[in-house]
Amino acid sequence: MLKNHWPTSLVLLPQLTSLGIVRSRRRARISMEVGGLDSHGRQFKNADEMWTDQVGDPTKKTEWYRQGVGYWEGVEASVDGVLGGYGHVNDADITGSEAFLNTLLSERFPIVSAASNQRHLVALDCGSGVGRVTKNLLIRYFNEVDLLEPVSHFLEKARESLAPENHMTTDTNKSVNFYCVPLQEFTPEVGRYDVIWVQWCIGHLTDDDFVSFFKRAKVGLKPGGFFVLKENIARNGFILDNEDRSVTRSDSYFKELFHKCGLHLYKSKDQKGLPQELFAVKMYALTTDVPKKVHHTRSKVRANRPGIIR
């Protein structure tokens, strides 16, 4: 889901903007201690305070998820609907995602090419909505794509849109399973997926369910498989949307959660070409294995040069 920035008067709170002086190497350690606010301007000292207030008991947590799905049940099942009225950014979004995916596939699965079918590629599209990302991107790169979406009329629209008679599909590239299940309740088939794509939906999960989801979803990856998370990014701390029951987290907040999930950041990239009034959007490639470090050696010519005497 795309979202507007909240008014500047809400976002630029003193305790948030002061973070700009903190060195980046410390941000991951303190991100969840940073204050945030909700869409009404209410301030929270840290994430724990916000989550205790919002989902501090089972009844509140049930209501959190009920209201979140309820919001989207009232939205039109169209590209413009799932993109919050910004359907025109679809092309820029897909272009950015495709460039990122191409890089990842060439690095992670170098034997795979358009001409060779040495690896049967399978993807899971989480928070698939009306099938926008599957139809415009994933179905062109993966032999099979499963869709996961808790809003039933979105998923039915996706099923219709991706039907062979409505979409240029082949026996070797097709949508297969349509799961009408929320992220916090889903467990994938063991070892089924090369890529699990999670876009504009993870903000609906509490921190605990965020970690729980990725820990469960790990078992669904094939060897060498990876996650792609594409999401709105807050400047600092977090912003709670009272209407659709979601949280926009900062980059450092996400990185702390990745660590708790036991995931490693393989690569990240900023999405370009979106309207300035929208939140920044970032793409993360996450692996269960530690990325190999590239060791740079100094040029012998440069190393043997005499230093300049000043």
Side-chain angles (χ1 to χ4, degrees):
M1 58 194 160
L2 280 175
K3 290 186 179 180
N4 289 320
H5 279 299
W6 301 114
T8 302
S9 59
L10 292 183
V11 178
L12 299 182
L13 295 171
Q15 69 268 31
L16 299 184
T17 55
S18 64
L19 280 179
I21 64 172
V22 181
R23 292 181 183 273
S24 59
R25 67 174 181 268
R26 293 182 55 212
R27 285 179 177 161
R29 295 202 303 270
I30 67 169
S31 59
M32 295 173 76
E33 295 303 316
V34 175
L37 68 160
D38 69 12
S39 50
H40 297 151
R42 178 184 175 185
Q43 300 179 32
F44 298 94
K45 291 185 296 184
N46 52 47
D48 283 344
E49 181 185 65
M50 183 272 292
W51 287 121
T52 298
D53 178 75
Q54 297 295 311
V55 296
D57 62 64
T59 301
K60 283 187 174 182
K61 188 172 183 179
T62 299
E63 188 66 9
W64 167 275
Y65 286 118
R66 188 193 68 78
Q67 289 180 4
V69 172
Y71 172 85
W72 290 106
E73 286 176 340
V75 172
E76 178 186 84
S78 66
V79 170
D80 200 53
V82 297
L83 291 180
Y86 281 83
H88 59 282
V89 308
N90 177 70
D91 289 348
D93 170 59
I94 295 298
T95 298
S97 294
E98 185 166 16
F100 192 55
L101 180 61
N102 265 317
T103 299
L104 296 170
L105 291 178
S106 65
E107 292 178 359
R108 300 288 294 182
F109 311 137
I111 63 169
V112 176
S113 69
S116 68
N117 198 19
Q118 297 178 36
R119 179 167 178 141
H120 186 84
L121 295 176
V122 183
L124 174 66
D125 182 0
C126 296
S128 62
V130 296
R132 181 186 67 87
V133 174
T134 291
K135 184 174 183 177
N136 292 294
L137 176 63
L138 300 180
I139 203 73
R140 295 191 285 112
Y141 286 86
F142 294 86
N143 303 102
E144 297 181 13
V145 183
D146 293 344
L147 288 79
L148 175 66
E149 169 57 52
V151 179
S152 59
H153 74 295
F154 284 175
L155 198 62
E156 286 308 307
K157 183 68 174 181
R159 191 191 298 272
E160 175 188 334
S161 176
L162 290 164
E165 61 269 24
N166 297 324
H167 180 58
M168 293 183 63
T169 186
T170 68
D171 289 338
T172 56
N173 295 82
K174 58 187 177 182
S175 53
V176 178
N177 297 304
F178 295 80
Y179 299 110
C180 192
V181 181
L183 281 179
Q184 70 274 11
E185 297 177 13
F186 182 75
T187 300
E189 178 185 332
V190 175
R192 172 162 171 76
Y193 301 109
D194 297 276
V195 174
I196 296 179
W197 191 279
V198 187
Q199 180 166 351
W200 285 329
C201 60
I202 204 71
H204 287 287
L205 296 195
T206 66
D207 286 355
D208 288 345
D209 285 336
F210 181 114
V211 173
S212 178
F213 165 72
F214 278 106
K215 285 186 174 181
R216 291 194 314 277
K218 283 181 193 179
V219 304
L221 291 175
K222 296 178 187 177
F226 56 92
F227 294 98
V228 173
L229 175 67
K230 187 168 186 177
E231 197 47 82
N232 298 330
I233 302 294
R235 294 179 187 176
N236 292 296
F238 59 88
I239 300 175
L240 164 66
D241 189 319
N242 299 92
E243 187 176 13
D244 70 4
R245 315 309 290 162
S246 68
V247 172
T248 301
R249 299 169 170 98
S250 67
D251 176 64
S252 56
Y253 194 152
F254 271 121
K255 287 175 179 175
E256 187 165 347
L257 288 177
F258 298 157
H259 178 73
K260 289 187 174 185
C261 295
L263 294 173
H264 304 281
L265 180 59
Y266 177 77
K267 195 179 290 289
S268 64
K269 187 177 182 181
D270 296 329
Q271 170 68 46
K272 304 295 184 183
L274 299 184
Q276 291 186 348
E277 69 267 22
L278 297 177
F279 279 109
V281 173
K282 203 172 188 74
M283 295 172 276
Y284 301 95
L286 305 165
T287 64
T288 57
D289 55 300
V290 180
K292 294 179 181 178
K293 293 183 179 179
V294 178
H295 298 285
H296 298 282
T297 57
R298 295 174 64 190
S299 165
K300 290 184 178 179
V301 174
R302 183 178 182 85
N304 292 331
R305 265 185 207 153
I308 298 175
I309 299 174
R310 297 187 183 277

